[in-house]
């Protein structure tokens, strides 16, 4: 009898194969850059860009001080890279997610819900967003810029009854940031604050949808419609977003 043909080894995943082809020096450089960004995120989430020194970042990342400048020209440069990684990439993913949704009210509800859900999954990301949300840079780029854009669209289309885009942005943005803070503190039914909320007769569950509904009402939608939109099935952001 002929011998059975050996089974061919399964093809390696593209990411694994690419990693093996990557030169060792390039891989180390990429990993060092990632450690610097992670350390900067943790520190700046607590103290802001202005309150963090470069040597703090390198010590937290366990990287030599001089190596920092192999990746970033300055503290401002690593902050800009963080903004791209933390907010621009996520904002781009949200833009793709809602590009075929015609109703700007649903667009805002989806984006608000995904933002709060990510803050729950990644508390440091949420803390960084809260800090940056109160900075003068909030309208320059990222999620704040996109929120103002969508509010302006809704006003132009007469979907929202509000007349003042900036004050609507302030009201909605403040609600988002406060809801993220509440999500980080009260979002878990098993968290240490759950008993306190129960004693007060309130619940911290479902904050993402509740925040979206409240925001739509702030923009002029009737409560019933706002709640219906905020309860619609939530499309999924692609991995990495």
């Amino acid at each position: 009898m002929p011998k059975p043909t050996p089974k061919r080894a399964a093809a390696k995943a593209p990411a694994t194969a690419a990693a093996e082809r990557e030169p060792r020096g390039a891989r180390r450089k990429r990993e060092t850059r990632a450690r610097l960004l992670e350390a900067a995120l943790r520190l700046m989430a607590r103290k802001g860009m202005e309150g963090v020194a470069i040597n703090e970042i390198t010590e937290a990342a366990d990287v030599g001080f001089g190596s920092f400048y192999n990746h970033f020209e300055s503290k401002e440069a690593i902050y800009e890279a963080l903004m791209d990684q933390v907010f621009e990439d996520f904002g781009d993913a949200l833009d793709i997610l809602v590009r075929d949704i015609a109703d700007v009210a649903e667009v805002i509800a989806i984006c608000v819900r995904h933002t709060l859900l990510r803050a729950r999954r990644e508390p440091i990301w949420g803390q960084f967003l809260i800090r940056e949300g109160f900075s003068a840079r909030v309208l320059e780029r990222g999620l704040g810029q996109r929120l103002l854009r969508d509010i302006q669209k809704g006003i132009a289309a007469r979907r929202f009854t509000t007349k003042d885009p900036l004050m609507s942005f302030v009201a909605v943005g403040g609600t988002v940031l406060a809801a993220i803070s509440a999500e980080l503190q009260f979002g878990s039914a098993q968290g240490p604050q759950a008993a306190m909320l129960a004693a007060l007769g309130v619940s911290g569950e479902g904050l993402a949808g509740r925040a979206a509904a409240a925001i739509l009402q702030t923009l002029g939608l009737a409560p019933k419609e706002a709640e219906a939109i905020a309860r619609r099935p939530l499309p999924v952001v692609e991995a990495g977003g």
Side-chain angles (χ1 to χ4, degrees), residues 64-86:
F65 182 82
S67 297
F68 178 91
Y69 294 98
N70 294 331
H71 303 273
F72 305 102
E73 294 179 357
S74 63
K75 182 175 67 173
E76 289 73 20
I78 195 171
Y79 169 82
E80 290 297 318
L82 264 185
M83 290 295 289
D84 285 338
Q85 175 180 290
V86 174

Side-chain angles (χ1 to χ4, degrees), residues 40-229:
L41 176 61
R42 292 197 308 269
L43 290 166
M44 291 182 182
R46 288 192 293 109
K47 301 194 288 184
M49 182 188 72
E50 293 81 1
V52 176
I54 290 175
N55 68 300
E56 291 181 89
I57 297 172
T58 55
E59 288 176 8
D62 194 22
V63 171
F65 182 82
S67 297
F68 178 91
Y69 294 98
N70 294 331
H71 303 273
F72 305 102
E73 294 179 357
S74 63
K75 182 175 67 173
E76 289 73 20
I78 195 171
Y79 169 82
E80 290 297 318
L82 264 185
M83 290 295 289
D84 285 338
Q85 175 180 290
V86 174
F87 298 137
E88 289 294 331
D89 291 350
F90 181 62
D92 288 344
L94 289 179
D95 281 345
I96 293 171
L97 191 70
V98 300
R99 63 187 171 189
D100 296 325
I101 297 176
D103 183 7
V104 68
E106 184 171 3
V107 167
I108 287 179
I110 289 170
C111 294
V112 167
R113 292 165 70 192
H114 268 301
T115 299
L116 265 74
L117 291 172
R118 180 166 181 178
R120 173 186 279 194
R121 294 194 308 271
E122 303 174 36
I124 294 175
W125 184 91
Q127 292 164 8
F128 188 68
L129 177 55
I130 290 171
R131 177 171 287 277
E132 286 306 308
F134 286 110
S135 76
R137 297 176 288 264
V138 66
L139 290 176
E140 293 178 359
R141 60 196 299 186
L143 300 177
Q145 186 183 65
R146 288 170 169 86
L147 176 59
L148 179 60
R149 175 201 66 193
D150 291 336
I151 289 173
Q152 290 173 318
K153 284 182 180 179
I155 293 173
R158 298 186 179 180
R159 181 66 167 117
F160 303 146
T161 60
T162 180
K163 303 298 183 185
D164 188 331
L166 179 57
M167 288 312 301
S168 296
F169 170 80
V170 170
V172 170
T175 300
V176 171
L177 296 176
I180 290 173
S181 179
E183 182 71 74
L184 295 177
Q185 297 180 65
F186 309 129
S188 173
Q190 288 76 41
Q193 306 298 334
M196 181 189 73
L197 291 180
L200 294 172
V202 295
S203 169
E205 295 184 9
L207 280 172
R210 291 159 64 185
I215 283 167
L216 293 182
Q217 291 178 61
T218 297
L219 293 171
L221 273 67
K224 187 174 181 179
E225 182 183 16
E227 290 171 6
I229 292 173

